[in-house]
Amino acid sequence: AFTLLELLVVIAIIAILTGLLLPSLSRAKAKGKAALCQSNLRQQGLALFSYVEDEGKYPVAGAGWRVTGTTTFLWPHLLLPHLGSNVMIFYCPADKPLPPNYLVRQRDDGNPWMSYGYNAEGGIAGFPSPDPMLGLAGDWYSPIPASAVKVPVDMIAIGDSQADGMGDPWLTPNGVGAPDSWPGKKHNLGANVLFVDAHVTRTPMRKLVQDTDENRARWNNDHEPHREFPFSI
């Protein structure tokens, strides 16, 4: 039989081992979630390729704002037929639990509704606008042709989002003062990002919003920094 002292020693050893193992298990779990998130984005990248091949243009981000004052995000629905209608591909396991109206919710209250954001403003720079009402060089309700993207390997397409979208930090209505529109930082303070050529990388969020010409260019379809932005809508 064990003495009380021996039992206490065993319990203490187990507690120490548990304390040593938990951080490793937590890191392993986080890496697993990040890997699944990257897999989701790669599949979205293939769906984006398929869509562009069929349509000759990139999907629009959303619609409805001018009429209703809210925006219905369309790009996930446009990609879904190329993803076997699997809505879970738009959910990052490191994100909050899915809301009950997943992929249906409109942008009417600014709360998170899905895990990923589309570079909606990416088609604005260097592309003529069919809608002079906005006073921009293009708008996110109008698709751009495949030929408009000058450097696919260095243009952001889709990535982890912090809210209901993922916007160019210099093209959001309040520019860098609108952190809810910045890329997310769910993976060790970084975001998994899909580029137009379908490769995926994890990049620290602070680097994605760093104000350099090189970084600004990767948000724009003409691969120019456009320091005349931000506009005010």
Side-chain angles (χ1 to χ4, degrees), residues 5-6 10-11 17 28 41 45 86 98 112 114 119-120 123 128 132 142 168 171 178 184 210-211:
L5 179 60
E6 289 171 330
V10 170
I11 292 171
L17 291 175
L41 284 169
N86 181 8
L98 288 170
M114 67 179 177
N119 181 13
S142 304
D168 179 332
L171 280 178
Q210 188 176 12
D211 191 4

Side-chain angles (χ1 to χ4, degrees), residues 61-65 68 70-75 77 103-107 113 140-141:
W65 180 81
T68 65
T70 62
T71 297
T72 300
F73 287 91
L74 295 180
W75 68 269
H77 301 280
L103 284 188
V104 176
R105 187 174 187 171
Q106 291 187 327
R107 187 183 180 183
W113 68 283
W140 69 318
Y141 304 101

Side-chain angles (χ1 to χ4, degrees), residues 1-17:
F2 289 103
T3 66
L4 178 60
L5 179 60
E6 289 171 330
L7 286 172
L8 291 174
V9 169
V10 170
I11 292 171
I13 292 173
I14 292 173
I16 292 170
L17 291 175

Side-chain angles (χ1 to χ4, degrees), residues 70-71 73 95-117 161-166 180-181 186:
T70 62
T71 297
F73 287 91
D95 209 349
K96 297 176 182 178
L98 288 170
N101 46 356
Y102 182 57
L103 284 188
V104 176
R105 187 174 187 171
Q106 291 187 327
R107 187 183 180 183
D108 54 4
D109 55 11
N111 292 321
W113 68 283
M114 67 179 177
S115 301
Y116 302 104
S161 67
Q162 296 194 126
D164 50 6
M166 183 190 69
D180 281 349
S181 294
K186 303 168 190 172

Side-chain angles (χ1 to χ4, degrees), residues 49-81:
F49 262 127
S50 181
Y51 181 91
V52 172
E53 185 175 331
D54 289 349
E55 304 293 333
K57 59 191 176 183
Y58 288 93
V60 294
W65 180 81
R66 296 181 190 83
V67 177
T68 65
T70 62
T71 297
T72 300
F73 287 91
L74 295 180
W75 68 269
H77 301 280
L78 294 174
L79 294 185
L80 265 178

Side-chain angles (χ1 to χ4, degrees), residues 101-187:
N101 46 356
Y102 182 57
L103 284 188
V104 176
R105 187 174 187 171
Q106 291 187 327
R107 187 183 180 183
D108 54 4
D109 55 11
N111 292 321
W113 68 283
M114 67 179 177
S115 301
Y116 302 104
Y118 186 61
N119 181 13
E121 293 93 348
I124 291 178
F127 190 72
S129 174
D131 184 0
M133 288 175 59
L134 290 180
L136 302 177
D139 90 73
W140 69 318
Y141 304 101
S142 304
I144 63 170
S147 59
V149 179
K150 303 303 181 186
V151 187
V153 71
D154 198 39
M155 182 181 174
I156 292 171
I158 302 169
D160 282 312
S161 67
Q162 296 194 126
D164 50 6
M166 183 190 69
D168 179 332
W170 301 280
L171 280 178
T172 53
N174 295 311
V176 293
D180 281 349
S181 294
W182 290 358
K185 48 183 178 180
K186 303 168 190 172
H187 306 288

